[in-house]
Amino acid sequence: LRTIVLVVALVLAAAEASAEEFFDLVEIAQGVYGALVVDRPPTYVFANALVVIDEAGVVVVDTHQSPSAATALVGKIEALTEAPVRYVINTHWHGDHVYGNQVYRDRYPGAVFIGHQSTREDMLGEGVARRAEELEALPESIHQRELWLETGKGPEGRPLTEALRERLEYSRSARTRYLAELGAVDLVPPNLTFERKLVLYLGRRTVEVRHLGRAHTRGDVVVYLPDVKILAVGDLLEDGFPYFGDAYPSGWAKALQEVGSLEAAVLFPSHGPILRDRELLDVETRLLSTLTEDVRQAVADGLSIEEAKDRVVLEEFRSFFGGDDPARAEDYRENVRAAVERAYREASGQLE
Ligand SMILES: [Zn+2]
């Protein structure tokens, strides 16, 4: 019996330890928790989640990229409250925010999945295609890392330093685990959709879900808690250069102006630390306005897309995004060129 007790204790300790390493759970206000992704989690987890606890039920904003991370968060929620998760809100359709939905569906029958109408459409359309692409690309990228590690020669034939070897080992192991999880992901799209604003009246709290127009995707929503003045902004703000792959830059600039007009003491981004001041909001609002204006001018002047990329280099934002560091200067340049390309397509009417 003693052995069994010991084994059970070890298994429980292991489960607890593995639940610890995906994110830090930080109480932002009474009953409002941020699950902040740790550095180097055991599998792909890139986005934070927000947990809002009310006696009438729990609201979770975004569900992580790997179902195992969502399962770990469920364990943490259940240690805090007996109330079930009743609502899951997806800030947009990207995999790092929605792949864990199935965990909540299976654990809490009747849970409602909330998102913008286009988030549902994009998950069922482009989302299915992107997941298939990821599934196809991962084995090759894992194999590549195995080769680098085996031969001791990394990218471009460079000998592996200790730091690079360690990074590649981590990356191989996280990718391998993620691949196994991704194959079992069942895409669960929002089953309650809206266009502009939806308000949840819980037991004591009110949760406002708002769409501020097309921005980082066509269906981003923000989640506002008026009682504690917390605003979850999804990927409208993140701790790095904004991602323009599915963006509508002019709409994004307007959405950020609207974020600025909401009375929020805390901005909770999906990527990066909790924001208690407005520096990032101010910089990104200016960046998006400048990008939009300069590219509009380039289109009006008859420049081609390549000429626009050469002209609009967003020099004044370089140091804020780390572009002064020689190792990252090229990344900054490439990021800006991708942003200009998207803004050019928007300004010349090529985005539907
Ligand atoms: Zn994201």
Side-chain angles (χ1 to χ4, degrees), residues 30-31 45 66 68 75 82 86 99 124 128 130 133 168 180 202 216 255 268-269 275 277 300 304 319 322 339:
Q30 209 229 322
V45 189
S66 297
S68 59
E82 285 175 6
R86 286 185 58 199
Y99 283 172
L124 295 171
V128 172
R130 293 247 179 121
E133 282 166 24
L168 288 172
L202 304 172
H216 150 271
F268 185 81
L275 305 169
D277 65 51
S304 72
S319 45

Side-chain angles (χ1 to χ4, degrees), residues 65-139:
Q65 183 149 356
S66 297
S68 59
T71 302
L73 185 56
V74 163
K76 294 203 177 208
I77 293 170
E78 293 186 349
L80 291 169
T81 177
E82 285 175 6
V85 174
R86 286 185 58 199
Y87 300 101
V88 172
I89 300 168
N90 291 131
T91 59
H92 59 285
W93 65 275
H94 288 161
D96 53 330
H97 300 255
V98 305
Y99 283 172
N101 281 10
Q102 70 192 59
V103 169
Y104 294 92
R105 177 200 60 191
D106 296 346
R107 176 72 186 162
Y108 306 102
V112 175
F113 294 83
I114 296 171
H116 190 263
Q117 172 62 23
S118 71
T119 294
R120 179 183 169 89
E121 289 162 14
D122 286 336
M123 267 180 85
L124 295 171
E126 186 67 16
V128 172
R130 293 247 179 121
R131 193 181 75 119
E133 282 166 24
E134 266 190 273
L135 266 174
E136 204 182 305
L138 271 165

